[in-house]
Amino acid sequence: MVASECHLQLVFKDKSHYSDQYVCQLFANKISSHFPEHILAFTGGSVKGLRAGAGVCIPHVSLNISATLPSHSSIPSAELFANRKALETMATLNLSSKNVLILTDSNSTIQLIRKINYEAANSDLKVIRDDVQRLNKCGIFVCFQHIPSHKGLIHNMTADRLANEAVNIGPQPESKLGNL
């Protein structure tokens, strides 16, 4: 069983009439009302030059994670690694909920994860799929949701900041990530 993609959307005729703050508040309200029993994890990836980083913010347990990636990592690899770290962390927590919602501003990451028949060349994609299956076997349902990027969602901004901080630290040689 592969994780499902949630389809929560805000529909506007003309977004230019609404402030980022208003859009964020609407989206936060929708998340709260549609996923009240879910543990949320916000993820972000960043690449600057040859450096890459990943960030994860899990507000339910006040946990922030920042991780550097090897040199020459791509932005899709950084985004996938952030999702991998979120799932790995969720697997180690004693969750009060049986529902996990991973929120990412990378639509391409969600698309890669949900492609069941896609042969995963990226090691992080393989681990994500394995982690989702392992969590499902433990009765924990995992869902991925795309969120607006750079619109002021506080926990998404935290994940992005953590990814950017990791970029400034530099690469760590122990990780073996592939590029997409």
Side-chain angles (χ1 to χ4, degrees), residues 89-119:
T89 303
M90 292 293 190
T92 65
L93 297 175
N94 185 13
L95 298 176
S96 59
S97 172
K98 294 298 181 187
N99 299 305
V100 170
L101 181 62
I102 307 291
L103 299 124
T104 178
D105 58 18
S106 172
N107 214 9
S108 60
T109 298
I110 294 173
Q111 291 171 358
L112 282 171
I113 292 169
R114 71 182 180 122
K115 287 185 179 179
I116 297 170
N117 296 324
Y118 178 73
E119 184 66 30

PDB file of all heavy atoms in Angstrom, residues 89-119:
ATOM      1  N   THR A  89      11.305   9.909  11.352  1.00  0.00           N
ATOM      2  CA  THR A  89      11.054  10.475  12.680  1.00  0.00           C
ATOM      3  C   THR A  89       9.690  10.039  13.197  1.00  0.00           C
ATOM      4  O   THR A  89       9.555   9.651  14.367  1.00  0.00           O
ATOM      5  CB  THR A  89      11.151  12.007  12.624  1.00  0.00           C
ATOM      6  OG1 THR A  89      12.443  12.363  12.130  1.00  0.00           O
ATOM      7  CG2 THR A  89      10.937  12.613  13.994  1.00  0.00           C
ATOM      8  N   MET A  90       8.675  10.076  12.350  1.00  0.00           N
ATOM      9  CA  MET A  90       7.337   9.638  12.753  1.00  0.00           C
ATOM     10  C   MET A  90       7.352   8.189  13.219  1.00  0.00           C
ATOM     11  O   MET A  90       6.655   7.829  14.165  1.00  0.00           O
ATOM     12  CB  MET A  90       6.343   9.799  11.599  1.00  0.00           C
ATOM     13  CG  MET A  90       6.056  11.215  11.231  1.00  0.00           C
ATOM     14  SD  MET A  90       5.161  12.060  12.551  1.00  0.00           S
ATOM     15  CE  MET A  90       4.711  13.557  11.718  1.00  0.00           C
ATOM     16  N   ALA A  91       8.164   7.362  12.562  1.00  0.00           N
ATOM     17  CA  ALA A  91       8.241   5.941  12.924  1.00  0.00           C
ATOM     18  C   ALA A  91       8.842   5.746  14.310  1.00  0.00           C
ATOM     19  O   ALA A  91       8.565   4.740  14.971  1.00  0.00           O
ATOM     20  CB  ALA A  91       9.047   5.171  11.882  1.00  0.00           C
ATOM     21  N   THR A  92       9.650   6.695  14.786  1.00  0.00           N
ATOM     22  CA  THR A  92      10.294   6.549  16.093  1.00  0.00           C
ATOM     23  C   THR A  92       9.490   7.179  17.228  1.00  0.00           C
ATOM     24  O   THR A  92       9.783   6.925  18.394  1.00  0.00           O
ATOM     25  CB  THR A  92      11.697   7.189  16.087  1.00  0.00           C
ATOM     26  OG1 THR A  92      11.578   8.598  15.891  1.00  0.00           O
ATOM     27  CG2 THR A  92      12.572   6.580  15.020  1.00  0.00           C
ATOM     28  N   LEU A  93       8.500   7.999  16.880  1.00  0.00           N
ATOM     29  CA  LEU A  93       7.706   8.667  17.915  1.00  0.00           C
ATOM     30  C   LEU A  93       6.587   7.758  18.414  1.00  0.00           C
ATOM     31  O   LEU A  93       6.063   6.933  17.681  1.00  0.00           O
ATOM     32  CB  LEU A  93       7.081   9.950  17.339  1.00  0.00           C
ATOM     33  CG  LEU A  93       8.040  11.036  16.876  1.00  0.00           C
ATOM     34  CD1 LEU A  93       7.255  12.165  16.221  1.00  0.00           C
ATOM     35  CD2 LEU A  93       8.870  11.564  18.036  1.00  0.00           C
ATOM     36  N   ASN A  94       6.229   7.933  19.653  1.00  0.00           N
ATOM     37  CA  ASN A  94       5.066   7.248  20.202  1.00  0.00           C
ATOM     38  C   ASN A  94       3.862   8.131  19.871  1.00  0.00           C
ATOM     39  O   ASN A  94       3.491   9.006  20.640  1.00  0.00           O
ATOM     40  CB  ASN A  94       5.219   7.054  21.712  1.00  0.00           C
ATOM     41  CG  ASN A  94       4.098   6.239  22.298  1.00  0.00           C
ATOM     42  OD1 ASN A  94       3.329   5.612  21.568  1.00  0.00           O
ATOM     43  ND2 ASN A  94       4.003   6.245  23.608  1.00  0.00           N
ATOM     44  N   LEU A  95       3.286   7.895  18.704  1.00  0.00           N
ATOM     45  CA  LEU A  95       2.241   8.783  18.201  1.00  0.00           C
ATOM     46  C   LEU A  95       0.911   8.584  18.919  1.00  0.00           C
ATOM     47  O   LEU A  95       0.467   7.461  19.102  1.00  0.00           O
ATOM     48  CB  LEU A  95       2.048   8.558  16.701  1.00  0.00           C
ATOM     49  CG  LEU A  95       3.259   8.848  15.824  1.00  0.00           C
ATOM     50  CD1 LEU A  95       2.965   8.481  14.377  1.00  0.00           C
ATOM     51  CD2 LEU A  95       3.663  10.304  15.926  1.00  0.00           C
ATOM     52  N   SER A  96       0.294   9.697  19.272  1.00  0.00           N
ATOM     53  CA  SER A  96      -1.027   9.636  19.895  1.00  0.00           C
ATOM     54  C   SER A  96      -2.110   9.460  18.837  1.00  0.00           C
ATOM     55  O   SER A  96      -3.230   9.105  19.150  1.00  0.00           O
ATOM     56  CB  SER A  96      -1.281  10.923  20.693  1.00  0.00           C
ATOM     57  OG  SER A  96      -1.213  12.045  19.830  1.00  0.00           O
ATOM     58  N   SER A  97      -1.748   9.704  17.596  1.00  0.00           N
ATOM     59  CA  SER A  97      -2.692   9.580  16.497  1.00  0.00           C
ATOM     60  C   SER A  97      -2.240   8.470  15.566  1.00  0.00           C
ATOM     61  O   SER A  97      -1.061   8.159  15.476  1.00  0.00           O
ATOM     62  CB  SER A  97      -2.757  10.895  15.705  1.00  0.00           C
ATOM     63  OG  SER A  97      -3.530  10.721  14.539  1.00  0.00           O
ATOM     64  N   LYS A  98      -3.171   7.880  14.882  1.00  0.00           N
ATOM     65  CA  LYS A  98      -2.854   6.853  13.893  1.00  0.00           C
ATOM     66  C   LYS A  98      -2.848   7.447  12.494  1.00  0.00           C
ATOM     67  O   LYS A  98      -2.893   6.730  11.510  1.00  0.00           O
ATOM     68  CB  LYS A  98      -3.852   5.692  13.980  1.00  0.00           C
ATOM     69  CG  LYS A  98      -3.746   4.927  15.286  1.00  0.00           C
ATOM     70  CD  LYS A  98      -2.373   4.301  15.420  1.00  0.00           C
ATOM     71  CE  LYS A  98      -2.265   3.512  16.712  1.00  0.00           C
ATOM     72  NZ  LYS A  98      -0.932   3.018  16.968  1.00  0.00           N
ATOM     73  N   ASN A  99      -2.813   8.763  12.411  1.00  0.00           N
ATOM     74  CA  ASN A  99      -2.829   9.452  11.123  1.00  0.00           C
ATOM     75  C   ASN A  99      -1.689  10.456  11.058  1.00  0.00           C
ATOM     76  O   ASN A  99      -1.508  11.259  11.975  1.00  0.00           O
ATOM     77  CB  ASN A  99      -4.149  10.191  10.923  1.00  0.00           C
ATOM     78  CG  ASN A  99      -5.328   9.250  10.933  1.00  0.00           C
ATOM     79  OD1 ASN A  99      -5.367   8.296  10.179  1.00  0.00           O
ATOM     80  ND2 ASN A  99      -6.285   9.513  11.806  1.00  0.00           N
ATOM     81  N   VAL A 100      -0.938  10.410   9.957  1.00  0.00           N
ATOM     82  CA  VAL A 100       0.188  11.308   9.739  1.00  0.00           C
ATOM     83  C   VAL A 100      -0.069  12.074   8.446  1.00  0.00           C
ATOM     84  O   VAL A 100      -0.436  11.489   7.431  1.00  0.00           O
ATOM     85  CB  VAL A 100       1.507  10.513   9.631  1.00  0.00           C
ATOM     86  CG1 VAL A 100       2.649  11.398   9.173  1.00  0.00           C
ATOM     87  CG2 VAL A 100       1.836   9.839  10.961  1.00  0.00           C
ATOM     88  N   LEU A 101       0.131  13.372   8.492  1.00  0.00           N
ATOM     89  CA  LEU A 101      -0.011  14.215   7.311  1.00  0.00           C
ATOM     90  C   LEU A 101       1.319  14.906   7.064  1.00  0.00           C
ATOM     91  O   LEU A 101       1.778  15.697   7.881  1.00  0.00           O
ATOM     92  CB  LEU A 101      -1.119  15.251   7.512  1.00  0.00           C
ATOM     93  CG  LEU A 101      -1.391  16.198   6.348  1.00  0.00           C
ATOM     94  CD1 LEU A 101      -1.858  15.422   5.111  1.00  0.00           C
ATOM     95  CD2 LEU A 101      -2.429  17.248   6.741  1.00  0.00           C
ATOM     96  N   ILE A 102       1.949  14.562   5.926  1.00  0.00           N
ATOM     97  CA  ILE A 102       3.200  15.192   5.521  1.00  0.00           C
ATOM     98  C   ILE A 102       2.831  16.333   4.581  1.00  0.00           C
ATOM     99  O   ILE A 102       2.185  16.120   3.550  1.00  0.00           O
ATOM    100  CB  ILE A 102       4.131  14.200   4.792  1.00  0.00           C
ATOM    101  CG1 ILE A 102       4.353  12.930   5.609  1.00  0.00           C
ATOM    102  CG2 ILE A 102       5.440  14.879   4.410  1.00  0.00           C
ATOM    103  CD1 ILE A 102       5.166  13.090   6.858  1.00  0.00           C
ATOM    104  N   LEU A 103       3.229  17.547   4.936  1.00  0.00           N
ATOM    105  CA  LEU A 103       2.902  18.725   4.142  1.00  0.00           C
ATOM    106  C   LEU A 103       4.166  19.235   3.451  1.00  0.00           C
ATOM    107  O   LEU A 103       5.170  19.490   4.116  1.00  0.00           O
ATOM    108  CB  LEU A 103       2.317  19.812   5.041  1.00  0.00           C
ATOM    109  CG  LEU A 103       1.025  19.378   5.728  1.00  0.00           C
ATOM    110  CD1 LEU A 103       1.132  19.511   7.223  1.00  0.00           C
ATOM    111  CD2 LEU A 103      -0.135  20.156   5.188  1.00  0.00           C
ATOM    112  N   THR A 104       4.100  19.354   2.139  1.00  0.00           N
ATOM    113  CA  THR A 104       5.246  19.800   1.361  1.00  0.00           C
ATOM    114  C   THR A 104       4.815  20.795   0.298  1.00  0.00           C
ATOM    115  O   THR A 104       3.712  20.692  -0.231  1.00  0.00           O
ATOM    116  CB  THR A 104       5.978  18.604   0.694  1.00  0.00           C
ATOM    117  OG1 THR A 104       7.055  19.095  -0.099  1.00  0.00           O
ATOM    118  CG2 THR A 104       5.044  17.787  -0.177  1.00  0.00           C
ATOM    119  N   ASP A 105       5.693  21.738   0.011  1.00  0.00           N
ATOM    120  CA  ASP A 105       5.387  22.675  -1.066  1.00  0.00           C
ATOM    121  C   ASP A 105       5.954  22.196  -2.404  1.00  0.00           C
ATOM    122  O   ASP A 105       5.955  22.920  -3.375  1.00  0.00           O
ATOM    123  CB  ASP A 105       5.846  24.094  -0.726  1.00  0.00           C
ATOM    124  CG  ASP A 105       7.326  24.204  -0.443  1.00  0.00           C
ATOM    125  OD1 ASP A 105       8.088  23.293  -0.809  1.00  0.00           O
ATOM    126  OD2 ASP A 105       7.732  25.226   0.150  1.00  0.00           O
ATOM    127  N   SER A 106       6.421  20.939  -2.426  1.00  0.00           N
ATOM    128  CA  SER A 106       6.962  20.350  -3.654  1.00  0.00           C
ATOM    129  C   SER A 106       5.958  19.366  -4.248  1.00  0.00           C
ATOM    130  O   SER A 106       5.861  18.218  -3.826  1.00  0.00           O
ATOM    131  CB  SER A 106       8.283  19.631  -3.354  1.00  0.00           C
ATOM    132  OG  SER A 106       8.711  18.902  -4.480  1.00  0.00           O
ATOM    133  N   ASN A 107       5.228  19.828  -5.241  1.00  0.00           N
ATOM    134  CA  ASN A 107       4.250  18.978  -5.896  1.00  0.00           C
ATOM    135  C   ASN A 107       4.920  17.799  -6.606  1.00  0.00           C
ATOM    136  O   ASN A 107       4.382  16.700  -6.639  1.00  0.00           O
ATOM    137  CB  ASN A 107       3.426  19.806  -6.883  1.00  0.00           C
ATOM    138  CG  ASN A 107       1.998  19.345  -6.980  1.00  0.00           C
ATOM    139  OD1 ASN A 107       1.544  18.506  -6.207  1.00  0.00           O
ATOM    140  ND2 ASN A 107       1.279  19.891  -7.927  1.00  0.00           N
ATOM    141  N   SER A 108       6.107  18.030  -7.174  1.00  0.00           N
ATOM    142  CA  SER A 108       6.805  16.951  -7.882  1.00  0.00           C
ATOM    143  C   SER A 108       7.201  15.822  -6.930  1.00  0.00           C
ATOM    144  O   SER A 108       7.201  14.653  -7.317  1.00  0.00           O
ATOM    145  CB  SER A 108       8.036  17.494  -8.607  1.00  0.00           C
ATOM    146  OG  SER A 108       8.938  18.091  -7.694  1.00  0.00           O
ATOM    147  N   THR A 109       7.499  16.144  -5.674  1.00  0.00           N
ATOM    148  CA  THR A 109       7.826  15.115  -4.687  1.00  0.00           C
ATOM    149  C   THR A 109       6.622  14.211  -4.451  1.00  0.00           C
ATOM    150  O   THR A 109       6.754  12.986  -4.442  1.00  0.00           O
ATOM    151  CB  THR A 109       8.278  15.763  -3.363  1.00  0.00           C
ATOM    152  OG1 THR A 109       9.462  16.520  -3.607  1.00  0.00           O
ATOM    153  CG2 THR A 109       8.541  14.732  -2.293  1.00  0.00           C
ATOM    154  N   ILE A 110       5.462  14.791  -4.280  1.00  0.00           N
ATOM    155  CA  ILE A 110       4.243  14.000  -4.080  1.00  0.00           C
ATOM    156  C   ILE A 110       3.983  13.115  -5.295  1.00  0.00           C
ATOM    157  O   ILE A 110       3.635  11.942  -5.150  1.00  0.00           O
ATOM    158  CB  ILE A 110       3.036  14.917  -3.783  1.00  0.00           C
ATOM    159  CG1 ILE A 110       3.231  15.627  -2.441  1.00  0.00           C
ATOM    160  CG2 ILE A 110       1.735  14.121  -3.788  1.00  0.00           C
ATOM    161  CD1 ILE A 110       2.184  16.675  -2.138  1.00  0.00           C
ATOM    162  N   GLN A 111       4.157  13.672  -6.475  1.00  0.00           N
ATOM    163  CA  GLN A 111       3.931  12.890  -7.688  1.00  0.00           C
ATOM    164  C   GLN A 111       4.879  11.700  -7.778  1.00  0.00           C
ATOM    165  O   GLN A 111       4.467  10.601  -8.157  1.00  0.00           O
ATOM    166  CB  GLN A 111       4.059  13.786  -8.927  1.00  0.00           C
ATOM    167  CG  GLN A 111       2.924  14.783  -9.035  1.00  0.00           C
ATOM    168  CD  GLN A 111       3.145  15.817 -10.133  1.00  0.00           C
ATOM    169  OE1 GLN A 111       4.159  15.821 -10.809  1.00  0.00           O
ATOM    170  NE2 GLN A 111       2.177  16.701 -10.296  1.00  0.00           N
ATOM    171  N   LEU A 112       6.142  11.889  -7.428  1.00  0.00           N
ATOM    172  CA  LEU A 112       7.098  10.775  -7.445  1.00  0.00           C
ATOM    173  C   LEU A 112       6.719   9.695  -6.431  1.00  0.00           C
ATOM    174  O   LEU A 112       6.775   8.507  -6.734  1.00  0.00           O
ATOM    175  CB  LEU A 112       8.511  11.274  -7.140  1.00  0.00           C
ATOM    176  CG  LEU A 112       9.257  11.954  -8.270  1.00  0.00           C
ATOM    177  CD1 LEU A 112      10.545  12.581  -7.748  1.00  0.00           C
ATOM    178  CD2 LEU A 112       9.561  10.969  -9.384  1.00  0.00           C
ATOM    179  N   ILE A 113       6.339  10.109  -5.241  1.00  0.00           N
ATOM    180  CA  ILE A 113       6.009   9.152  -4.182  1.00  0.00           C
ATOM    181  C   ILE A 113       4.795   8.311  -4.561  1.00  0.00           C
ATOM    182  O   ILE A 113       4.764   7.109  -4.324  1.00  0.00           O
ATOM    183  CB  ILE A 113       5.775   9.886  -2.839  1.00  0.00           C
ATOM    184  CG1 ILE A 113       7.099  10.470  -2.340  1.00  0.00           C
ATOM    185  CG2 ILE A 113       5.171   8.943  -1.801  1.00  0.00           C
ATOM    186  CD1 ILE A 113       6.956  11.441  -1.183  1.00  0.00           C
ATOM    187  N   ARG A 114       3.806   8.910  -5.171  1.00  0.00           N
ATOM    188  CA  ARG A 114       2.573   8.173  -5.447  1.00  0.00           C
ATOM    189  C   ARG A 114       2.606   7.328  -6.714  1.00  0.00           C
ATOM    190  O   ARG A 114       1.696   6.553  -6.957  1.00  0.00           O
ATOM    191  CB  ARG A 114       1.375   9.107  -5.460  1.00  0.00           C
ATOM    192  CG  ARG A 114       1.310  10.023  -6.618  1.00  0.00           C
ATOM    193  CD  ARG A 114       0.110  10.941  -6.492  1.00  0.00           C
ATOM    194  NE  ARG A 114       0.077  11.808  -7.641  1.00  0.00           N
ATOM    195  CZ  ARG A 114      -0.935  11.887  -8.474  1.00  0.00           C
ATOM    196  NH1 ARG A 114      -2.018  11.201  -8.267  1.00  0.00           N
ATOM    197  NH2 ARG A 114      -0.874  12.692  -9.505  1.00  0.00           N
ATOM    198  N   LYS A 115       3.644   7.443  -7.526  1.00  0.00           N
ATOM    199  CA  LYS A 115       3.749   6.630  -8.743  1.00  0.00           C
ATOM    200  C   LYS A 115       4.154   5.207  -8.363  1.00  0.00           C
ATOM    201  O   LYS A 115       5.328   4.889  -8.233  1.00  0.00           O
ATOM    202  CB  LYS A 115       4.765   7.223  -9.714  1.00  0.00           C
ATOM    203  CG  LYS A 115       4.285   8.466 -10.406  1.00  0.00           C
ATOM    204  CD  LYS A 115       5.295   8.925 -11.425  1.00  0.00           C
ATOM    205  CE  LYS A 115       4.808  10.170 -12.132  1.00  0.00           C
ATOM    206  NZ  LYS A 115       5.795  10.648 -13.116  1.00  0.00           N
ATOM    207  N   ILE A 116       3.168   4.361  -8.186  1.00  0.00           N
ATOM    208  CA  ILE A 116       3.377   2.996  -7.709  1.00  0.00           C
ATOM    209  C   ILE A 116       4.289   2.204  -8.632  1.00  0.00           C
ATOM    210  O   ILE A 116       5.170   1.487  -8.182  1.00  0.00           O
ATOM    211  CB  ILE A 116       2.027   2.269  -7.550  1.00  0.00           C
ATOM    212  CG1 ILE A 116       1.197   2.984  -6.485  1.00  0.00           C
ATOM    213  CG2 ILE A 116       2.233   0.802  -7.189  1.00  0.00           C
ATOM    214  CD1 ILE A 116      -0.234   2.511  -6.420  1.00  0.00           C
ATOM    215  N   ASN A 117       4.112   2.326  -9.924  1.00  0.00           N
ATOM    216  CA  ASN A 117       4.874   1.526 -10.874  1.00  0.00           C
ATOM    217  C   ASN A 117       6.192   2.156 -11.288  1.00  0.00           C
ATOM    218  O   ASN A 117       6.925   1.598 -12.082  1.00  0.00           O
ATOM    219  CB  ASN A 117       4.031   1.247 -12.131  1.00  0.00           C
ATOM    220  CG  ASN A 117       2.817   0.416 -11.792  1.00  0.00           C
ATOM    221  OD1 ASN A 117       2.882  -0.466 -10.940  1.00  0.00           O
ATOM    222  ND2 ASN A 117       1.707   0.702 -12.433  1.00  0.00           N
ATOM    223  N   TYR A 118       6.511   3.320 -10.741  1.00  0.00           N
ATOM    224  CA  TYR A 118       7.743   4.012 -11.076  1.00  0.00           C
ATOM    225  C   TYR A 118       8.919   3.301 -10.419  1.00  0.00           C
ATOM    226  O   TYR A 118       8.937   3.080  -9.218  1.00  0.00           O
ATOM    227  CB  TYR A 118       7.663   5.467 -10.611  1.00  0.00           C
ATOM    228  CG  TYR A 118       8.900   6.288 -10.862  1.00  0.00           C
ATOM    229  CD1 TYR A 118       9.214   6.696 -12.152  1.00  0.00           C
ATOM    230  CD2 TYR A 118       9.732   6.652  -9.823  1.00  0.00           C
ATOM    231  CE1 TYR A 118      10.337   7.466 -12.387  1.00  0.00           C
ATOM    232  CE2 TYR A 118      10.857   7.417 -10.055  1.00  0.00           C
ATOM    233  CZ  TYR A 118      11.160   7.820 -11.338  1.00  0.00           C
ATOM    234  OH  TYR A 118      12.272   8.573 -11.566  1.00  0.00           O
ATOM    235  N   GLU A 119       9.899   2.894 -11.215  1.00  0.00           N
ATOM    236  CA  GLU A 119      11.093   2.245 -10.678  1.00  0.00           C
ATOM    237  C   GLU A 119      11.933   3.314  -9.994  1.00  0.00           C
ATOM    238  O   GLU A 119      12.434   4.234 -10.640  1.00  0.00           O
ATOM    239  CB  GLU A 119      11.895   1.579 -11.805  1.00  0.00           C
ATOM    240  CG  GLU A 119      13.087   0.803 -11.333  1.00  0.00           C
ATOM    241  CD  GLU A 119      12.737  -0.419 -10.491  1.00  0.00           C
ATOM    242  OE1 GLU A 119      11.669  -1.011 -10.702  1.00  0.00           O
ATOM    243  OE2 GLU A 119      13.551  -0.777  -9.620  1.00  0.00           O
TER     244      GLU A 119
END
